Amino acid sequence: MFEQLRAELVKKGPGFLALPIFLTPFPLKKAFLQQLLNWQFRHALAEGELDFLQARHLGIEIADVGLRWITTIEEGQLKVVQHAEADVWFRGNANDLLLVAARKADPDMLFFQRRLVIEGDTELGLEVKNLMDALELEAMPTALRTGLQQLAAFVEAGMKQDAKAAQARAESVC
């Protein structure tokens, strides 16, 4: 019973977040995202590992929750903007991007399954992807890492349960 509930929450959870995210004014989303991104990438920023984003724009879109933003580097900090021409876009659904962030899914596999889309400047996209691959989970702030790993484990288990249920339905039809 709990497994079925988890599978439904994982499947429908992003949809539940879509309305509150839609109703949240962009300045609030911007403040939250900038703080979170600068906290997460503080070491990479300090060491100049993100300098390749100087005067370049990276777009992120989480389609199933209706969240999209563009980020760049200004004055040594990650800045979030709403309206700019992105050089490259990373698009995916919340559960897949969460699993990638927690190192529970391979971004290349999701890319080839068309669950992660990278459009635009492929060289910049590869630089971003390589940086993300190189980041160590242990370097992540403890609270963020722990929350991310727990949520990813919940999502991963729910996705597996949903896949098992779909498999069982397909077998019963045959």
Side-chain angles (χ1 to χ4, degrees):
M1 176 75 164
F2 176 71
E3 289 80 16
Q4 290 174 328
L5 178 60
R6 177 176 35 208
E8 284 299 308
L9 277 172
V10 167
K11 188 180 195 178
K12 295 181 180 174
F16 296 142
L17 295 174
L19 183 61
I21 288 173
F22 174 77
L23 294 174
T24 302
F26 187 78
L28 289 176
K29 290 186 260 193
K30 174 182 176 174
F32 174 77
L33 288 167
Q34 275 185 181
Q35 187 167 1
L36 179 68
L37 291 170
N38 282 295
W39 184 40
Q40 165 58 32
F41 294 106
R42 67 190 182 284
H43 297 298
L45 285 163
E47 294 181 16
E49 294 175 13
L50 292 171
D51 287 352
F52 65 87
L53 272 178
Q54 192 77 35
R56 315 249 351 245
H57 294 86
L58 164 66
I60 308 287
E61 181 175 0
I62 308 171
D64 56 347
V65 297
L67 182 59
R68 66 184 273 154
W69 73 91
I70 299 164
T71 191
T72 189
I73 299 285
E74 288 180 9
E75 299 172 6
Q77 295 291 305
L78 284 161
K79 299 291 179 186
V80 171
V81 296
Q82 185 174 21
H83 301 293
E85 182 82 22
D87 296 298
V88 65
W89 278 98
F90 278 70
R91 293 184 170 97
N93 287 328
N95 290 335
D96 290 332
L97 294 174
L98 175 72
L99 294 175
V100 167
R103 303 291 195 270
K104 294 200 175 273
D106 177 24
D108 293 326
M109 178 193 69
L110 295 178
F111 176 78
F112 288 115
Q113 292 176 348
R114 299 180 191 264
R115 292 166 51 192
L116 174 63
V117 177
I118 303 171
E119 296 176 330
D121 183 337
T122 53
E123 183 178 330
L124 179 59
L126 282 173
E127 285 185 79
V128 171
K129 183 198 153 311
N130 291 338
L131 175 71
M132 298 303 294
D133 286 343
L135 291 175
E136 298 291 329
L137 280 178
E138 294 73 30
M140 192 178 283
T142 304
L144 183 59
R145 180 181 67 243
T146 302
L148 178 68
Q149 288 175 323
Q150 289 176 350
L151 187 56
F154 183 86
V155 166
E156 185 177 43
M159 290 174 83
K160 285 180 182 175
Q161 180 64 33
D162 191 44
K164 285 179 189 174
Q167 176 74 26
R169 285 191 302 272
E171 288 172 356
S172 68
V173 173
C174 295

